[in-house]
Amino acid sequence: MKMLFLTFYFEPDLSAGSFRNTALVEALKQNLDANDTIEVITTMPNRYASYKVQAGNLEERGNITIHRIKTPSHKSGYLDQILAFKTYFQGAFKLTNGKEYDIVFASSSRLFTAFLGAQIARRKKSLLYLDIRDIFTDTMKEVLSNKAQKLITKPVLNTIEQYTIKSAHHLNLVSKGFGPYFKRFFNGTVGYYTNGIDEEFLDYKFEGKMPSNKPKVITYAGNIGDGQGLEKIIPEAARKLNGDYRFKIIGDGSSKTKLSARLEELDVQNVELIKPVKRRELLDIYSQSDFLFLHLNDYKAFHKVLPSKIFEYGAIPVPIIAGVDGYARKFINENVENAIVFGPNNPDEFVRKLKDFKPENRMRHTFVEKYRRASIMQEMAKSIIQMKREPYTTISAESKPD
């Protein structure tokens, strides 16, 4: 069996897509036969302009080959991301020219890696397995503020999306909240292998004691973009909590300048903006925090998502504060202990619930056992390989027995 594996982000990049797909390739490797091969086509690390790390443009790992395409640097703006993806798209076509594949796998949050997979699979007459991590068209309808842009962009994106999804032989959706959206126009098999908890978080030795920070530390780590809407929640909440709490915001993204400007406008002094850090350093910061913070902008599209950050935070014996709605709120309420949930973009509710909360540090053992990334990726890897070898069925990682 020959497999093509398409992912825009891969190790050593820092992103949810990178962590997920690196773990999946490792799981696939453990399930391959001697004559099976996987060709990974990804990019040089580019998730954050402020985080630079070296990686080879070609790696051979036994029966796995990894190609990394160098893309133009970007700061997560729409135009520079389009240019970066155009380079990746063209590079992938060049690398696959003249080759044949039994399965094309594509993991996509912004639709176009999935579209690339559909294009290649159709040309090669290969089976296509799509791993959908976000509903890009749904999000763009709300993000685009200009009516003319929406009128032009919406039909184009809808056409690309339906072409892409209908090209697939199987869809995996990381959130059950995505199901109704795609089932309107996809009649094939659908699975639900979520994101999960990486081994670095499971191996880390937490002290299990409450930090003695004065003021208490609330930490956020991840992308700082329009989807997170941190500029709409952090400055106001921090100003109201000044003296009792301080915030550590770790990461980078297209809205970091908005956040910084809003903090300056309100003269907020208890928020520290920190560049992206490696995961080991991040774990040390988490262990010294009193709360871990998560927030999604108040878009209806985000009522369907299940943020990967929930799994990362859930492995740490620290209280979680989550400003989410829809399926993410339901998932946290049903699965994640020791958490505060409030409405997105609502600093007053955030502050009120935080002040009423009695924090404690305790491990979420049931959650950790159910959502180990390695276990979920093993099941997903088997489902991908099974698509070629025998009649295809799927297991939902969210409904597996504990």
Side-chain angles (χ1 to χ4, degrees):
M1 180 187 67
K2 293 184 178 180
M3 182 186 303
L4 175 64
F5 192 109
L6 300 169
T7 172
F8 197 77
Y9 297 116
F10 197 72
E11 67 175 359
D13 222 339
L14 297 178
S15 74
S18 172
F19 304 144
R20 178 179 180 80
N21 287 298
T22 300
L24 181 55
V25 167
E26 181 59 33
L28 283 165
K29 180 180 178 180
Q30 295 171 21
N31 287 277
L32 294 178
D33 290 338
N35 295 324
D36 294 336
T37 61
I38 300 177
E39 185 174 2
V40 179
I41 300 181
T42 184
T43 63
M44 289 288 191
N46 70 96
R47 183 65 180 90
Y48 298 118
S50 58
Y51 178 79
K52 303 295 183 183
V53 62
Q54 296 299 314
N57 59 5
L58 177 63
E59 283 188 47
E60 299 283 352
R61 302 180 184 177
N63 51 358
I64 297 176
T65 302
I66 301 169
H67 300 277
R68 292 187 178 89
I69 297 168
K70 183 174 178 57
T71 59
S73 62
H74 65 87
K75 295 184 178 180
S76 298
Y78 290 119
L79 180 58
D80 51 7
Q81 287 186 74
I82 289 170
L83 293 174
F85 186 79
K86 179 182 178 183
T87 303
Y88 174 61
F89 197 99
Q90 292 171 336
F93 264 102
K94 185 176 180 181
L95 286 168
T96 57
N97 187 38
K99 299 177 182 177
E100 298 299 326
Y101 304 97
D102 298 298
I103 297 175
V104 174
F105 172 92
S107 183
S108 188
S109 66
R110 293 189 179 95
L111 178 62
F112 292 101
T113 302
F115 176 64
L116 171 63
Q119 289 272 286
I120 294 175
R122 281 180 178 253
R123 294 188 182 194
K124 308 291 184 182
K125 297 182 179 179
S126 308
L127 294 171
L128 177 62
Y129 188 120
L130 295 182
D131 179 40
I132 303 298
R133 309 196 316 272
D134 201 358
I135 305 177
F136 182 73
T137 54
D138 211 18
T139 303
M140 290 301 293
K141 290 171 191 175
E142 298 196 63
V143 170
L144 293 175
S145 56
N146 186 296
K147 288 185 178 180
Q149 285 181 321
K150 287 184 179 181
L151 286 172
I152 297 170
T153 304
K154 181 179 176 180
V156 173
L157 289 178
N158 285 345
T159 299
I160 293 172
E161 179 182 66
Q162 293 204 24
Y163 166 87
T164 299
I165 300 302
K166 289 178 179 180
S167 298
H169 296 85
H170 175 76
L171 289 185
N172 181 72
L173 308 176
V174 299
S175 169
K176 282 188 174 178
F178 293 165
Y181 180 91
F182 287 108
K183 286 178 180 178
R184 294 176 304 145
F185 54 89
F186 180 71
N187 296 319
T189 56
V190 178
Y192 296 94
Y193 293 104
T194 67
N195 282 298
I197 303 164
D198 290 308
E199 293 302 313
E200 296 98 316
F201 292 85
L202 300 174
D203 294 339
Y204 189 90
K205 304 300 180 184
F206 291 98
E207 293 298 326
K209 298 178 181 178
M210 292 297 295
S212 56
N213 298 312
K214 293 184 179 180
K216 293 184 181 299
V217 174
I218 300 173
T219 297
Y220 169 82
N223 191 46
I224 306 174
D226 186 72
Q228 290 71 41
L230 297 186
E231 73 278 6
K232 298 179 180 179
I233 187 71
I234 295 294
E236 290 283 357
R239 184 169 61 87
K240 294 174 185 292
L241 294 167
N242 192 28
D244 297 323
Y245 297 85
R246 62 189 178 94
F247 290 75
K248 288 186 176 181
I249 309 299
I250 304 165
D252 205 347
S254 60
S255 294
K256 190 172 184 178
T257 54
K258 293 181 185 177
L259 174 60
S260 182
R262 184 62 176 156
L263 291 170
E264 186 175 348
E265 179 185 347
L266 296 180
D267 192 29
V268 175
Q269 302 297 319
N270 58 331
V271 176
E272 182 182 5
L273 301 182
I274 303 169
K275 291 181 178 180
V277 300
K278 293 182 178 180
R279 294 186 102 182
R280 176 67 197 199
E281 184 179 348
L282 186 60
L283 281 165
D284 291 337
I285 295 172
Y286 283 167
S287 70
Q288 296 159 19
S289 301
D290 296 277
F291 297 90
L292 302 177
F293 184 76
L294 163 70
H295 185 262
L296 292 178
N297 217 333
D298 192 18
Y299 294 151
K300 289 183 180 179
F302 293 160
H303 290 188
K304 303 180 183 76
V305 306
L306 184 60
S308 62
K309 191 62 63 177
I310 292 173
F311 300 94
E312 184 174 301
Y313 286 175
I316 299 163
V318 174
I320 297 170
I321 306 170
V324 296
D325 217 331
Y327 183 69
R329 175 188 283 265
K330 179 177 183 290
F331 182 87
I332 293 173
N333 286 336
E334 293 178 355
N335 294 277
V336 185
E337 301 174 284
N338 201 21
I340 300 168
V341 183
F342 69 95
N345 300 359
N346 192 332
D348 291 332
E349 185 185 6
F350 167 23
V351 171
R352 175 173 54 80
K353 285 194 171 183
L354 176 60
K355 289 183 175 180
D356 290 342
F357 187 75
K358 293 182 179 180
E360 59 177 314
N361 277 18
R362 64 175 187 268
M363 287 298 298
R364 302 174 180 91
H365 295 291
T366 301
F367 181 82
V368 168
E369 284 305 309
K370 187 174 183 180
Y371 291 104
R372 287 174 174 263
R373 171 103 70 187
S375 299
I376 294 172
M377 292 298 95
Q378 277 291 329
E379 294 296 330
M380 187 172 176
K382 290 174 184 176
S383 79
I384 296 169
I385 294 170
Q386 182 180 329
M387 187 166 71
K388 174 63 179 175
R389 293 181 178 166
E390 58 187 83
Y392 189 61
T393 57
T394 62
I395 303 171
S396 165
E398 289 186 9
S399 61
K400 290 194 317 180
D402 294 339

